[in-house]
Amino acid sequence: MLHIHSECITVRAALEADRASVTELIKAYIDQYGIPYPDEEQLHAMLTELFEDPSRGIHLIVQYDGVDAGFVSLYSAWNTVRAQPFLYLSNLFIGETYRRKGLGRALLQGSRQYMEENGYAFLEWSVSGDNLAALRLYEEEGALVVPRLLYRMV
């Protein structure tokens, strides 16, 4: 069962009891982009679905000295070529006050542990090419660059 703990950093799966904190962390993440929040009912429904069925996805929380300081969103999907499930890392966020303290690294390590413990084939994500701090972290953690373009239909 996922639980990473060091002197002042803890990573664990978000539970129903964490709903208010996860909601605030998600809103802080969205604030970075200056876009509107999703409808409250939609956000509530998404969290309810994930809390009730973690096989669809999960949020991991990172705490620093007992304070919820960030999160990562992991969603389950299938890889047709391997005929195996994989995890897609949709969002990784550390509150501004808590950056450069190893929390992003802890969330990546927690994501890897969750992937391995739950039989996922791999963990995949995308990142903006100008996010140099993230690129450096991902490289240091042994992530491989997969040359692809990201498309989106809306």
Side-chain angles (χ1 to χ4, degrees), residues 137-152:
L137 170 63
Y138 301 154
E139 184 176 303
E140 289 171 1
E141 283 298 306
L144 303 174
V145 175
V146 178
R148 292 188 185 170
L149 294 175
L150 175 66
Y151 288 88
R152 177 178 297 155

Side-chain angles (χ1 to χ4, degrees), residues 74-86:
L74 303 171
Y75 299 106
S76 179
W78 281 88
N79 180 277
T80 305
V81 174
R82 292 189 183 191
Q84 291 179 296
F86 73 98

Side-chain angles (χ1 to χ4, degrees), residues 11-141:
V11 175
R12 63 175 179 76
L15 305 171
E16 175 64 45
D18 301 307
R19 180 184 292 272
S21 181
V22 172
T23 299
E24 289 309 307
L25 287 167
I26 289 171
K27 288 180 176 181
Y29 173 77
I30 293 169
D31 285 342
Q32 298 179 118
Y33 299 102
I35 58 175
Y37 301 139
D39 177 80
E40 286 291 327
E41 287 181 25
Q42 287 177 292
L43 184 55
H44 182 81
M46 175 191 73
L47 291 174
T48 297
E49 185 167 324
L50 298 178
F51 291 142
E52 291 178 359
D53 185 5
S55 71
R56 298 282 314 265
I58 189 168
H59 286 96
L60 304 181
I61 294 176
V62 63
Q63 295 177 311
Y64 188 80
D65 283 337
V67 176
D68 293 345
F71 75 98
V72 65
S73 304
L74 303 171
Y75 299 106
S76 179
W78 281 88
N79 180 277
T80 305
V81 174
R82 292 189 183 191
Q84 291 179 296
F86 73 98
L87 283 176
Y88 183 77
L89 188 158
S90 180
N91 315 106
L92 189 152
F93 172 74
I94 305 298
E96 198 169 328
T97 306
Y98 300 98
R99 293 180 185 163
R100 306 232 184 277
K101 297 180 184 306
L103 303 181
R105 184 176 311 279
L107 279 174
L108 276 180
Q109 292 169 353
S111 297
R112 180 189 315 249
Q113 181 180 336
Y114 182 82
M115 172 195 74
E116 291 169 351
E117 287 178 356
N118 290 281
Y120 291 99
F122 57 90
L123 175 64
E124 184 171 86
W125 65 93
S126 63
V127 63
S128 175
D130 64 355
N131 189 340
L132 300 180
L135 295 172
R136 194 169 34 256
L137 170 63
Y138 301 154
E139 184 176 303
E140 289 171 1
E141 283 298 306

